[in-house]
Amino acid sequence: MATTATVHAHAAPQGFIRKYIFSLDHKVIGIQYFFLALTAVFVGMFLSLLMRIHLIWPQAVLPLVGEIKPETYLSLLTMHGTIMVFFVLTTAPQGGFGNYILPIQLGAADMAFPVLNMLSFWTTFVGFVVIIAAFFVTGGAPLHGWTGYPPLSAVQAAGPGEGLGADLWITSIAIFCLASLMGALNFITTTLDLRAKGMTLMRMPLTVWSWFITAILGLLAFGVLLSAGILLLLDRNMGTSFYLPQIVVNGVVMQHKGGSVLLWQHLFWFFGHPEVYIAILPGMGVASQILSTFSRKPIFGYKAMVYAMLAIGFFGFMVWGHHMFMSGMSPYSAFIFSVLTMCIGVPSAIKTFNWLGTMWKGHIRFQTPMLYAIGFVSLFVSGGLSGPFLAQPVLDIQLHDTYFVVGHFHLIMGVAAIFGIFAATYYWVPKMFGRMMNETWGRVHFFITLAGTYAIFMPMHYLGMAGQTRRYSQFTEVAYQAKLIPLQTFMTYAAIITIAAQFIFLFNLFYSIFKGPKASDNPWESTTLEWVTATPPPHDNFGGVTPVVHNGPYEYGVPGASKDFVMQTDPPVAGAGH
Amino acid sequence: MGLALMALIWLITLVSTYFFVAKTWWLPVGASAATGFIDGQFALTFVLMGIVFLAAQLGLGYIVWKYKETPTSPPVAYSHGNTKLEILWTALTAILFIGLNLMGRPVWAHERLEPADADAVKVEVTGMQFAWYFRYPGPDGTFAKTSVKLMDPSAGGDAAVGLDTNDPSAKDDVVTGTMYLPVNREVDLSLRAVDVIHSFFVPQLRFKQDAVPGLNIHMHLKPTVIGDYEIACAELCGLGHYKMHGMVHVVSQEDFDKWLAAREAEKQ
């Protein structure tokens, strides 16, 4: 049995600075993370817009940025990838919604370590400032891609942006790693120690499970990336040769020798593959929560869902080599990595099956959070099914480093994860800000975004099949690739429309926060603990009351119950699962 | 709303599938011995994943339309799941995914784990920002030594790959900017890079391998159709990555011999 959450660790602060800026309240910190990620996602999206424009109109002179040169294009893609992966896909679902919702869903008054929580947010914020600074230094932002493979990332002479810009890029990632480690410790401790009475592990909402498992992955993965980044900084600035054999760059023989280029790839992907699950697991949790709520049915196979997430987390650490089939790594190891990669498809398939099973014979309500959860399932299927192509080394010969890969990871860890974030936003904003978002604009935003993202990313699979290599700033130099430009043009138009539609979301969010209709305590008729308390929740979450849990998290449509949902704190109902 | 969502999901699914089935954009025509197996494995994977894709997406669309909440909806099927179905589903997926994977082993093993044929043509591929160089060992069949200290990419040719001209076997080494290969004969490639990582990608030969500084990677392949094939660098290597382009000319054995003899003659 979990330890009962006791009195709140800190009193409600009075001053503006302690209340809204250096706050210890997990709810304020969650909102801070959310707005940081919102800023980052619009920056990252703007960079992608510039990239799409450059690919089609390479000579275009754009306001603010001027003409985009090939090296500028590479800087844009590096910064787009890095900002999106770290400051959006890791920050919003875990730092934002995890911080806000996890303690409340557990029945706790706050995170286990409020000061550490504040510190982790402000560390993340510094990391974001540092990476943005890379745009403004001499030479500009680095061009080595978000994966930062040395020697390109390790030698200043290898290209523009590989000077101070690259140092700032690595420093920012190192800072982000520190922040994520602090956050991970907090999530794990809170989940294990601060559950309300009756909140057994197997009564935790699947969102809590997803944040908990994500935190464990973060704890194990970010430490490795931090070390790898420090070694890279040393190679760049202190003359070490961790990643550098003897090489000649621009006709100059470098002073490094004896290092291993592949070492970075192993360390990076040992972090990088779990990172994919760090981005998508919270989305799986949110989708499960919302599909059950809006289908008015218990989640199909709760335990299977928990075990599937644990399996994904476990296997997630054993498949990093599938990013390296073409790298020159021992070809024997490709067998092992590819079989393990196929294994990870199995729990992913279980989850999809269970989501469909949850909706089957339910009472589906089409409010915006549900639309996004359904969109998540569709995108997860589409993005997931290209996995078994890439996991086969013989097919990877053709597909590695082509647009097929770009399409695959954008659908699954980009767009599907973003749909999880949108679902969470439409679902929890009423609780967080006390006001409902506009349904009509939510639906318009959803339909354009679903159709638009498919129009952008599905054609990438065709391009990859045809051999279109990624990270090319122009396709005119290779004859067979130039023939594919019409499809690229289509994708650029689709991107412009989809990006424009995101301003509908932005307007809806800000308008609703201030002017939307007041939200009730439980507008979606959900069952978990955040819907038991007031909207928005008081400083200590439950207003001095400690909730006691009697039921499982998804008791909808229990036969014989007085209403179609049983809250976790309701007295146990005969016939329900507990 | 349910109908609109079903319509959109079905439309996306069917349009996406159409372009895969119609092969509007598809693998380029293959020209190497591995083509048959790789293309077959592609087709098999497409059929299997396509069935799952269609079933899941069309099913998703159907479910959201069929089970929308209405005032007359029957009570929900209250259930926490079905263990038998879960086990069945898990087992099927595991067999499908892992089976597909095991099938691909022979070709991978042949190209990478087994040595090249004894009569294979030896070619060394060297990548540098932003060009490819190809070295043939000449009649002595031996590549001369190279040295990082002798590399001068701006000079091109022998100096670009750092050929040590004091080595006696350097006399007949031929370094070119274009690759010639004889048809239907195995090619024993060794791949190197002088500055950053590059990747030697020839889509029509179904071949890709990174060239990595500090490593000398051996691979072999067999071109089977005479023709000219483009090389595209597939690993981000700097600002000129998009124009790090080259050509492979697959020619008859006689033409290859003539071409190589002419290069040897130029060198003397």
Side-chain angles (χ1 to χ4, degrees):
Chain A
M1 185 58 61
T3 312
T4 307
T6 49
V7 279
H8 202 225
H10 52 93
Q14 300 307 320
F16 178 83
I17 290 183
R18 291 314 300 265
K19 203 167 173 181
Y20 294 112
I21 299 177
F22 296 109
S23 173
L24 299 178
D25 184 341
H26 71 99
K27 297 186 288 298
V28 177
I29 297 170
I31 290 171
Q32 288 174 323
Y33 267 117
F34 176 74
F35 282 115
L36 176 66
L38 191 67
T39 309
V41 79
F42 273 82
V43 173
M45 196 173 70
F46 177 66
L47 302 181
S48 67
L49 178 65
L50 295 179
M51 285 154 62
R52 290 295 338 160
I53 289 174
H54 172 76
L55 286 174
I56 301 311
W57 302 289
Q59 266 74 47
V61 179
L62 302 169
L64 290 179
V65 274
E67 187 184 336
I68 297 171
K69 297 193 285 262
E71 56 269 36
T72 325
Y73 174 81
L74 296 178
S75 297
L76 292 172
L77 75 81
T78 304
M79 298 294 271
H80 166 79
T82 311
I83 288 172
M84 288 300 203
V85 169
F86 292 99
F87 295 97
V88 179
L89 298 176
T90 312
T91 299
Q94 188 79 359
F97 293 109
N99 240 313
Y100 195 105
I101 301 295
L102 176 125
I104 310 181
Q105 284 194 336
L106 289 173
D110 203 324
M111 281 284 191
F113 309 115
V115 176
L116 196 66
N117 203 16
M118 175 183 78
L119 205 58
S120 82
F121 167 74
W122 283 105
T123 311
T124 310
F125 180 80
V126 171
F128 186 65
V129 171
V130 171
I131 198 155
I132 294 298
F135 280 115
F136 301 102
V137 298
T138 313
L143 51 64
H144 51 230
W146 89 277
T147 50
Y149 282 9
L152 189 58
S153 62
V155 179
Q156 189 155 351
E162 292 308 312
L164 186 54
D167 284 323
L168 289 174
W169 177 84
I170 303 165
T171 308
S172 165
I173 289 174
I175 293 170
F176 187 90
C177 291
L178 280 174
S180 298
L181 289 173
M182 290 188 255
L185 282 172
N186 223 339
F187 275 70
I188 294 168
T189 314
T190 305
T191 307
L192 292 178
D193 285 348
L194 295 186
R195 279 172 285 133
K197 188 170 183 220
M199 181 61 83
T200 58
L201 288 175
M202 282 300 171
R203 277 185 187 160
M204 296 198 309
L206 289 170
T207 40
V208 172
W209 269 109
S210 73
W211 290 315
F212 176 55
I213 296 167
T214 300
I216 296 170
L217 297 187
L219 189 69
L220 299 172
F222 279 109
V224 175
L225 182 65
L226 176 62
S227 323
I230 292 169
L231 300 188
L232 186 58
L233 273 177
L234 291 174
D235 269 11
R236 294 177 51 82
N237 299 305
M238 307 300 281
T240 57
S241 301
F242 292 105
Y243 306 122
L244 292 173
Q246 199 167 37
I247 53 173
V248 183
V249 180
N250 274 340
V252 178
V253 181
M254 308 303 291
Q255 292 307 307
H256 303 273
K257 59 170 71 165
S260 161
V261 168
L262 294 192
L263 173 62
W264 167 268
Q265 295 183 28
H266 283 290
L267 295 175
F268 182 85
W269 289 117
F270 187 82
F271 146 79
H273 201 79
E275 168 60 31
V276 173
Y277 299 106
I278 288 172
I280 196 71
L281 277 170
M284 293 177 171
V286 167
S288 304
Q289 169 98 8
I290 290 176
L291 287 171
S292 174
T293 303
F294 289 81
S295 299
R296 318 307 295 164
K297 259 189 73 193
I299 193 81
F300 189 95
Y302 173 90
K303 281 187 181 164
M305 293 300 241
V306 172
Y307 297 143
M309 282 196 282
L310 287 168
I312 288 170
F314 178 72
F315 283 121
F317 277 101
M318 291 190 276
V319 299
W320 79 89
H322 69 215
H323 299 267
M324 297 172 62
F325 289 151
M326 299 300 124
S327 70
M329 170 184 78
S330 163
Y332 289 97
S333 59
F335 289 148
I336 308 299
F337 281 122
S338 71
V339 169
L340 287 165
T341 302
M342 287 297 199
C343 291
I344 215 167
V346 177
S348 306
I350 293 172
K351 297 199 74 83
T352 307
F353 176 67
N354 288 354
W355 287 322
L356 294 176
T358 302
M359 285 185 279
W360 181 261
K361 295 192 174 174
H363 287 176
I364 298 176
R365 296 176 180 175
F366 292 103
Q367 280 126 326
T368 316
M370 182 60 165
L371 294 178
Y372 271 98
I374 293 167
F376 174 92
V377 175
S378 172
L379 289 158
F380 186 77
V381 168
S382 301
L385 285 174
S386 49
F389 289 84
L390 295 164
Q392 297 180 60
V394 283
L395 301 190
D396 200 44
I397 294 172
Q398 197 71 11
L399 298 176
H400 181 76
D401 268 332
T402 66
Y403 269 74
F404 193 95
V405 179
V406 183
H408 165 72
F409 73 72
H410 272 95
L411 279 183
I412 195 125
M413 86 173 281
V415 187
I418 291 277
F419 268 52
I421 296 170
F422 278 137
T425 307
Y426 286 101
Y427 181 66
W428 279 313
V429 153
K431 179 57 65 175
M432 292 162 74
F433 298 98
R435 288 174 190 270
M436 304 299 290
M437 288 180 73
N438 183 291
E439 273 294 315
T440 309
W441 287 114
R443 287 171 182 183
V444 172
H445 173 229
F446 167 78
F447 276 98
I448 300 176
T449 307
L450 184 67
T453 46
Y454 266 113
I456 301 166
F457 297 110
M458 191 52 87
M460 290 191 176
H461 299 83
Y462 312 136
L463 291 171
M465 294 287 294
Q468 184 126 68
T469 36
R470 65 191 283 210
R471 293 167 167 172
Y472 271 32
S473 66
Q474 283 169 45
F475 304 113
T476 46
E477 302 296 312
V478 184
Y480 81 83
Q481 299 207 2
K483 291 181 194 150
L484 302 168
I485 290 176
L487 197 50
Q488 291 278 3
T489 310
F490 170 79
M491 286 153 55
T492 293
Y493 284 116
I496 291 170
I497 293 167
T498 313
I499 288 172
Q502 303 318 304
F503 290 91
I504 298 173
F505 166 75
L506 199 64
F507 178 78
N508 189 354
L509 177 68
F510 282 102
Y511 183 86
S512 302
I513 286 175
F514 295 106
K515 303 275 184 185
K518 286 253 161 71
S520 65
D521 287 350
N522 190 5
W524 314 119
E525 302 186 310
S526 292
T527 50
T528 45
L529 293 185
E530 78 272 31
W531 307 107
V532 171
T533 187
T535 288
H539 178 67
D540 69 349
N541 291 344
F542 295 94
V545 185
T546 310
V548 179
V549 172
H550 301 289
N551 297 297
Y554 302 114
E555 291 303 326
Y556 295 97
V558 183
S562 58
K563 52 190 194 303
D564 90 327
F565 61 107
V566 179
M567 308 289 289
Q568 286 200 275
T569 49
D570 283 351
V573 173
H578 304 302
Chain B
M1 188 55 54
L3 190 63
L5 192 51
M6 177 174 79
L8 179 61
I9 293 174
W10 281 29
L11 182 72
I12 289 169
T13 307
L14 296 176
V15 170
S16 303
T17 309
Y18 169 79
F19 286 114
F20 281 119
V21 174
K23 301 189 176 180
T24 315
W25 299 277
W26 195 249
L27 295 166
V29 176
S32 73
T35 302
F37 181 83
I38 290 182
D39 291 17
Q41 187 74 4
F42 253 116
L44 178 67
T45 310
F46 260 115
V47 169
L48 295 174
M49 294 302 127
I51 291 169
V52 180
F53 177 69
L54 287 170
Q57 300 284 12
L58 299 181
L60 176 67
Y62 172 76
I63 289 171
V64 300
W65 167 73
K66 171 83 180 169
Y67 297 112
K68 62 183 178 295
E69 188 177 54
T70 62
T72 57
S73 297
V76 297
Y78 178 79
S79 151
H80 286 91
N82 182 325
T83 310
K84 272 186 197 158
L85 272 177
E86 299 270 8
I87 292 170
L88 178 72
W89 179 257
T90 308
L92 281 178
T93 320
I95 292 166
L96 172 66
F97 283 7
I98 295 168
L100 260 181
N101 182 280
L102 296 179
M103 288 177 63
R105 285 180 167 210
V107 165
W108 180 261
H110 174 70
E111 281 195 349
R112 284 153 211 263
L113 304 180
E114 295 160 16
D117 292 352
D119 72 334
V121 189
K122 285 187 191 170
V123 189
E124 180 195 77
V125 179
T126 305
M128 65 192 65
Q129 291 180 327
F130 300 96
W132 295 104
Y133 286 97
F134 308 96
R135 184 156 68 121
Y136 298 80
D140 67 0
T142 313
F143 287 117
K145 278 187 280 200
T146 57
S147 162
V148 165
K149 294 197 171 62
L150 298 170
M151 279 179 185
D152 181 5
S154 61
D158 292 357
V161 300
L163 189 68
D164 182 353
T165 46
N166 293 325
D167 184 338
S169 63
K171 283 202 173 57
D172 62 348
D173 280 17
V174 167
V175 179
T176 67
T178 309
M179 190 181 209
Y180 277 77
L181 297 176
V183 73
N184 288 328
R185 206 172 131 198
E186 197 134 84
V187 185
D188 182 359
L189 287 179
S190 49
L191 291 114
R192 305 194 310 155
V194 306
D195 39 33
V196 300
I197 306 171
H198 303 277
S199 190
F200 185 76
F201 178 34
V202 190
Q204 282 157 303
L205 298 183
R206 304 287 184 268
F207 186 87
K208 184 185 286 135
Q209 175 59 49
D210 286 3
V212 183
L215 296 183
N216 191 341
I217 298 166
H218 271 269
M219 297 276 298
H220 51 102
L221 77 156
K222 187 189 272 186
T224 51
V225 181
I226 289 175
D228 303 329
Y229 308 113
E230 292 183 285
I231 306 163
C233 179
E235 184 62 62
L236 174 58
C237 60
L239 64 92
H241 174 49
Y242 70 102
K243 55 184 177 187
M244 188 166 163
H245 172 245
M247 288 300 286
V248 183
H249 302 286
V250 175
V251 296
S252 66
Q253 182 69 48
E254 300 87 81
D255 289 349
F256 176 75
D257 292 338
K258 263 189 255 173
W259 172 81
L260 195 57
R263 299 289 84 75
E264 294 284 353
E266 272 172 19
K267 178 148 182 161
Q268 301 311 320

